[in-house]
Amino acid sequence: MATKTAQDLALPVGVTLDRFIMRSQSAFPYATGDLSQLLRDIALAGKIIDREVNRAGLVDISGGVGTSNIQGEAQQKLDVVANIRFIRALKNGGEVCAIISEEDEEIIYTGNDNGKYVVAMDPLDGSSNIDVNVSIGTIFSIYHRVTPIGTPATIEDFMQGGRKQVGAGYILYGSSTILVFSTGSGVNGFTHEHSLGEFILSHKNIRCPLDGKIYSLNDGYYDGFQASVQEYVLDCRRRDYSARYIGSLVGDFHRNMLKGGVYLYPPTQKDPNGKLRLLYECYPLAFLAEQSGGRATDGYGDILDIEPKSLHQRTPFYTGSVRMVEDIQARL
Ligand code: P6P
């Protein structure tokens, strides 16, 4: 069956997220409504984080807390707040039986053993940018559990592989706050209208341009890149491409998906396997990339085909316009 998009559902820009979810659900008879409720729970947490992000400078909520997460990265206060808020929203929603988070080493059990879904998330990616008012984002990935309903989830529920995701998305807290997600039928973006407290459909059926002239990577690591990546960077410069790298993956990914471009996080001396995490950064964004007509690779194969081996494993990550990603992959 051809996948339906917002066009098929004849949903106008301006429709609320709730109406979009209800109409989408009615278009898919097998949809039980639990995934719809889960998306509402994520949107609720996003609204709460949006409020916290927007007042971070006014209350003592920015800055570090003096602890580190599993990655050894200094946890920012808003990181911790976002992690708590999303876990609470998903626990209270009842649809999710377990969560993995960048901020926690172990699986988080919600107590909802009858929940049909598990979620992998980076509650606040790019959080080092919080204190300097640069866009930051939440990234989430949703799987239908494979363990029996009514029993506690296990790591098996998270080790299904990228192509088993039933949904994925991000919330970008930027000049405006936008929730972008897909459940396998195209990618749609909803902008948070603060006066209404609603996410409103603003970017219908997002399609990533086949090619682009923007490349995003940390040029400071140039000397540590493999020669083929160095050559690609030089070619970008020769082609007068624009270098845009804001240190916030969701921000760079979103811009490239709308305007065309490519984001690169190659192996570096510091992170020989790449820095980005497969389960809650690369799989969900790769899902969105493919759903919008883009691509995502580790340099050798599609990100979504990588077999997961551990909850917090890292991978090299190249994603964006098909032609640009293929150009990079052909060199590696
Ligand atoms: P670097 C933020 O920590 C992040 O995970 C992405 O959001 C961002 O693109 C990247 O790492 C920045 O890493 O090593 O360039 O500072």
Side-chain angles (χ1 to χ4, degrees):
M1 175 178 77
T3 53
K4 291 189 172 76
T5 68
Q7 259 73 356
D8 302 331
L9 300 173
L11 287 168
V13 168
V15 75
T16 65
L17 171 66
D18 225 41
R19 183 165 299 281
F20 180 92
I21 289 175
M22 284 189 292
R23 289 287 298 277
S24 305
Q25 185 182 308
S26 61
F28 299 99
Y30 60 82
T32 61
D34 298 325
L35 181 56
S36 300
Q37 185 51 48
L38 169 44
L39 290 168
R40 289 188 187 95
D41 297 336
I42 288 172
L44 172 62
K47 291 176 188 174
I48 295 168
I49 299 307
D50 182 21
R51 182 193 63 200
E52 305 294 344
V53 166
N54 280 292
R55 61 179 194 167
L58 300 174
V59 297
D60 181 25
I61 199 167
S62 56
V65 291
T67 57
S68 299
N69 62 17
I70 166 131
Q71 324 301 335
E73 295 166 343
Q75 285 183 303
Q76 303 294 316
K77 288 178 183 168
L78 213 44
D79 269 350
V80 175
V81 168
N83 196 41
I84 291 167
R85 292 290 189 180
F86 273 95
I87 292 169
R88 187 181 301 163
L90 293 174
K91 267 185 180 175
N92 294 342
E95 309 305 337
V96 172
C97 58
I99 303 161
I100 62 166
S101 166
E102 184 195 50
E103 302 304 324
D104 292 278
E105 187 161 355
E106 303 301 334
I107 295 173
I108 301 151
Y109 297 95
T110 64
N112 303 323
D113 287 351
N114 290 322
K116 296 179 183 170
Y117 300 98
V118 297
V119 169
M121 68 175 183
D122 183 352
L124 208 57
D125 177 75
S127 53
S128 57
N129 288 311
I130 292 170
D131 289 346
V132 293
N133 253 38
V134 170
S135 301
I136 49 184
T138 297
I139 309 171
F140 60 90
S141 166
I142 306 168
Y143 296 88
H144 204 288
R145 69 183 298 181
V146 292
T147 50
I149 288 179
T151 65
T154 72
I155 193 168
E156 190 188 353
D157 291 308
F158 294 98
M159 291 289 132
Q160 300 182 52
R163 296 211 181 274
K164 296 289 189 180
Q165 294 174 99
V166 295
Y170 57 82
I171 301 169
L172 178 59
Y173 311 95
S175 51
S176 65
T177 293
I178 185 168
L179 165 63
V180 176
F181 74 87
S182 173
T183 53
S185 306
V187 180
N188 293 282
F190 300 79
T191 298
H192 189 200
E193 168 50 71
H194 292 92
S195 64
L196 300 175
E198 290 276 9
F199 279 106
I200 305 291
L201 180 62
S202 52
H203 295 70
K204 196 160 68 171
N205 197 27
I206 296 172
R207 303 301 295 165
C208 181
L210 276 179
D211 210 341
K213 296 184 181 301
I214 294 171
Y215 66 107
S216 309
L217 88 168
N218 189 331
D219 193 72
Y221 302 145
Y222 179 87
D223 291 347
F225 291 149
Q226 59 208 83
S228 49
V229 174
Q230 291 178 336
E231 192 52 38
Y232 179 73
V233 172
L234 294 178
D235 279 347
C236 287
R237 295 172 184 166
R238 292 179 191 121
R239 297 167 183 167
D240 288 331
Y241 286 3
S242 294
R244 293 284 186 277
Y245 188 73
I246 61 173
S248 204
L249 168 57
V250 175
D252 284 318
F253 181 87
H254 182 71
R255 183 202 53 249
N256 291 346
M257 188 165 65
L258 296 186
K259 296 193 165 191
V262 67
Y263 173 97
L264 306 87
Y265 208 106
T268 63
Q269 281 165 345
K270 179 175 169 236
D271 291 305
N273 294 316
K275 173 185 182 183
L276 301 176
R277 277 69 63 163
L278 180 63
L279 267 65
Y280 41 78
E281 289 176 326
C282 300
Y283 272 166
L285 295 185
F287 184 84
L288 294 175
E290 291 199 4
Q291 282 290 317
S292 63
R295 276 208 60 199
T297 173
D298 65 351
Y300 306 98
D302 289 346
I303 287 289
L304 293 180
D305 292 331
I306 296 176
E307 187 187 340
K309 299 235 179 2
S310 66
L311 294 179
H312 301 282
Q313 80 186 67
R314 300 173 189 267
T315 176
F317 192 46
Y318 309 90
T319 185
S321 297
V322 171
R323 297 260 164 76
M324 299 181 85
V325 173
E326 288 176 344
D327 180 4
I328 294 167
Q329 185 155 332
R331 299 161 183 257
L332 295 176

